[in-house]
Amino acid sequence: MLYGFIGRTTAATQLKEALDVGSQRTRLIADRVAKATLANSDGFALPGTPAEPGSPGAGPVDVEAEMVSLADEQIRFEANAKLLSKGYEQLRLSIRGR
């Protein structure tokens, strides 16, 4: 009976998806920064072949730009989390009838 109720009355589905995307982006940025500080290698891997040209790990990484991207992603994530929390709070209040 309540299946899909939250999706129709709030933007919870979109906000949850935005949180998932934000988490993935944060992991990618952190991975690029970590590999840049380890000279484009994996900290736990044995030394192997260098990155191929055109691959995501190839070329220099601008750590400052990556940190700006990380800060931007953190702000977006926190905003989405607050909006989702407020949406659930409104839903709780409407169910309680206050």
Side-chain angles (χ1 to χ4, degrees):
M1 181 173 164
L2 291 178
Y3 180 74
F5 177 72
I6 292 175
R8 285 195 294 251
T9 60
T10 66
T13 305
Q14 293 87 4
L15 290 171
K16 287 190 290 186
E17 289 173 1
L19 289 175
D20 291 339
V21 169
S23 295
Q24 290 172 351
R25 286 182 185 159
T26 300
R27 282 189 212 113
L28 289 174
I29 293 169
D31 185 52
R32 284 194 301 265
V33 169
K35 287 184 179 181
T37 58
L38 295 171
N40 261 349
S41 63
D42 214 356
F44 297 104
L46 295 173
T49 59
E52 295 178 16
S55 69
V61 175
D62 185 6
V63 177
E64 186 174 334
E66 294 294 336
M67 296 308 288
V68 169
S69 296
L70 185 62
D72 181 52
E73 201 57 50
Q74 182 179 1
I75 291 169
R76 291 175 191 269
F77 186 88
E78 289 176 6
N80 283 328
K82 284 182 183 180
L83 288 171
L84 185 60
S85 176
K86 287 183 181 184
Y88 283 145
E89 182 61 30
Q90 289 174 348
L91 187 61
R92 276 191 291 270
L93 289 175
S94 65
I95 289 173
R96 289 180 187 164
R98 291 183 182 174

